Amino acid sequence: MFQDKKPSKTDLKQLGEFGLIETLTKNFEIKKPSTIKGIGDDAAVLDYNQKHTLASTDLLVEGIHFDLAYFPLKHLGYKAAIVNFSDIYAMNGMATQLLVSLAVSNRFPVEALEEIYAGIQLACHIYDVDLVGGDTTSSRSGLILNPTALGSVLKGQEVYRSGAQPNDLIVVTGDLGAAYLGLLILQRENEVFKVNPQHQPDLSPYTYVVERQLKPEARKDIPPLLRELDVHPTAMIDISDGLSSEILHITKQSDVGAQIYAEKIPIAPQTVLAAEEFNISELTAALNGGEDYELLFTISQKDYEKIQYRPEFAVIGHITQDKGAYLITQDNEKIALKAQGWNALKK
Ligand code: ADP
Ligand code: MG
């Protein structure tokens, strides 16, 4: 994970708005052929040629979506960028540009904002995305970050939430529930730190789950892989609010039902251990935890053999004609899926 620099403290007022924009954005290069004009004019100019344009935005508010007590600024910038790229991949497209709007109080020195932008820059580098604009203004108290990702998809290749058909298979990438356990661990360490600032947390047994919370990755690899395998999902969504909630989005918008099987849901060994420690079920973390940024999609049964041996994918269930989305437990119990959110996680 990232190492935070020891910051000096330059007052925002010293730079002024234009000086600040210049300071934050001067190291970003333009690399995508679709970026005709980036930062520096009234609007960016983009050319997606014969492709459809994809656009997605997120609003991140300090104290609501992130807590700077345990969320380092560079990680915040990185995560703010990749959660938006994830939405573009969920349409089966590729992210190409990013705009970042920022409202900041004078409690933050310039160096703090530079840390955020270092994280954004790393994400842009790794995900091959150009920063092409944004807006900067002041806020009374907290920090507000509003990234907007743009991307493109070949016409006809876009995948909506609404296309799932009865008998389609339900597939997820990666593993689920880890980011939520990472959050619980960071919150616990933060509570200990408040009581005893001398306390040096040993996070080494939890590296994977903490990293899934602090430095999540979006599945940039999946849209091109699906193309290569000649698989066109019938519906797709990214997993930001937990598997249950995303399955319900697909079933509702596709006007179908679903059955998923508990034993098929991919969960990392460290997630299971951490869940045991917090006395919650790892399955509940996977269903309701969220922030995994994996992709959930449905495919026609005829495409099954194209994906069955790929380590990226797990088939977890199927779409049904009958409405209603259910989890089938290991004891063959049938439980209705609910978008219950995080407070339902206690056993
Ligand atoms: P305007 O007055 O038209 O809003 P600004 O002076 O706010 O223009 O912005 C100048 C340029 O800097 C524009 O290209 C804008 O998109 C970009 N920009 C402003 N703030 C940010 C930011 N926080 N991050 C990235 N680019 C920014
Ligand atoms: Mg502006």
Side-chain angles (χ1 to χ4, degrees):
M1 266 170 273
F2 303 129
Q3 218 57 45
D4 267 344
K5 289 187 300 221
K6 270 282 155 284
S8 49
K9 290 196 171 158
T10 311
D11 201 314
L12 285 177
K13 281 191 286 254
Q14 260 172 268
L15 284 182
E17 185 189 335
F18 301 119
L20 177 63
I21 297 171
E22 159 71 12
T23 303
L24 295 180
T25 61
K26 62 174 187 278
N27 296 323
F28 285 77
E29 281 172 58
I30 294 296
K31 288 182 290 191
K32 306 304 292 178
S34 53
T35 309
I36 309 300
K37 172 74 189 174
I39 292 171
D41 215 303
D42 296 309
V45 180
L46 310 172
D47 178 7
Y48 297 120
N49 235 316
Q50 300 304 310
K51 296 173 180 169
H52 278 149
T53 306
L54 303 169
S56 179
T57 193
D58 262 302
L59 188 56
L60 302 169
V61 179
E62 184 181 355
I64 309 281
H65 304 98
F66 58 90
D67 184 340
L68 291 174
Y70 55 80
F71 219 103
L73 291 160
K74 189 173 179 184
H75 289 266
L76 177 64
Y78 190 89
K79 186 167 175 175
I82 74 99
V83 305
N84 274 268
F85 303 159
S86 179
D87 284 319
I88 302 289
Y89 305 138
M91 299 302 292
N92 204 28
M94 294 305 273
T96 41
Q97 283 87 17
L98 179 71
L99 298 110
V100 178
S101 295
L102 196 65
V104 63
S105 77
N106 52 18
R107 156 166 88 82
F108 292 90
V110 173
E111 287 76 9
L113 301 182
E114 285 185 291
E115 277 294 296
I116 295 176
Y117 270 68
I120 293 173
Q121 192 174 355
L122 186 64
C124 285
H125 175 71
I126 291 176
Y127 287 83
D128 195 23
V129 169
D130 289 343
L131 179 73
V132 297
D135 201 18
T136 310
T137 189
S138 48
S139 98
R140 281 286 178 77
S141 55
L143 174 70
I144 297 172
L145 254 180
N146 174 214
T148 300
L150 300 170
S152 67
V153 59
L154 280 177
K155 289 183 182 171
Q157 293 293 311
E158 55 278 323
V159 177
Y160 300 108
R161 297 174 177 183
S162 56
Q165 299 290 329
N167 303 320
D168 281 356
L169 301 174
I170 302 172
V171 186
V172 293
T173 63
D175 63 79
L176 304 178
Y180 180 71
L181 269 312
L183 177 68
L184 291 186
I185 285 165
L186 289 166
Q187 283 173 339
R188 181 180 71 185
E189 294 306 323
N190 186 41
E191 289 307 313
V192 177
F193 180 82
K194 278 196 224 155
V195 181
N196 174 13
Q198 248 48 276
H199 169 76
Q200 288 287 329
D202 177 17
L203 295 179
S204 54
Y206 315 111
T207 338
Y208 179 68
V209 294
V210 168
E211 181 144 351
R212 291 281 281 176
Q213 171 60 223
L214 285 185
K215 193 169 178 280
E217 303 292 355
R219 297 309 303 252
K220 175 181 195 261
D221 55 324
I222 299 301
L225 176 61
L226 290 170
R227 255 179 90 71
E228 190 190 312
L229 298 173
D230 191 31
V231 172
H232 187 78
T234 49
M236 186 149 63
I237 189 168
D238 74 326
I239 304 181
S240 53
D241 297 332
L243 183 61
S244 288
S245 161
E246 318 304 358
I247 296 255
L248 290 168
H249 280 303
I250 286 187
T251 53
K252 183 158 182 230
Q253 297 202 27
S254 301
D255 204 22
V256 291
Q259 284 196 10
I260 60 171
Y261 296 87
E263 83 263 17
K264 307 264 187 205
I265 297 172
I267 298 176
Q270 207 178 82
T271 307
V272 177
L273 286 178
E276 236 162 63
E277 227 181 284
F278 282 91
N279 198 28
I280 64 167
S281 141
E282 66 272 14
L283 199 57
T284 325
L287 290 170
N288 301 315
E291 297 199 284
D292 293 308
Y293 302 107
E294 295 294 343
L295 293 173
L296 168 72
F297 58 92
T298 54
I299 58 170
S300 148
Q301 295 220 7
K302 70 172 170 43
D303 283 337
Y304 174 64
E305 53 186 38
K306 300 179 189 166
I307 63 147
Q308 65 177 322
Y309 299 120
R310 297 296 312 202
E312 294 88 352
F313 304 125
V315 176
I316 60 166
H318 61 271
I319 296 292
T320 57
Q321 185 113 46
D322 293 340
K323 311 275 155 54
Y326 297 95
L327 174 77
I328 312 296
T329 68
Q330 264 157 347
D331 313 324
N332 232 352
E333 245 185 291
K334 195 169 167 181
I335 301 172
L337 292 177
K338 281 192 222 123
Q340 24 188 250
W342 290 8
N343 46 20
L345 282 165
K346 293 257 146 42
K347 241 182 194 167

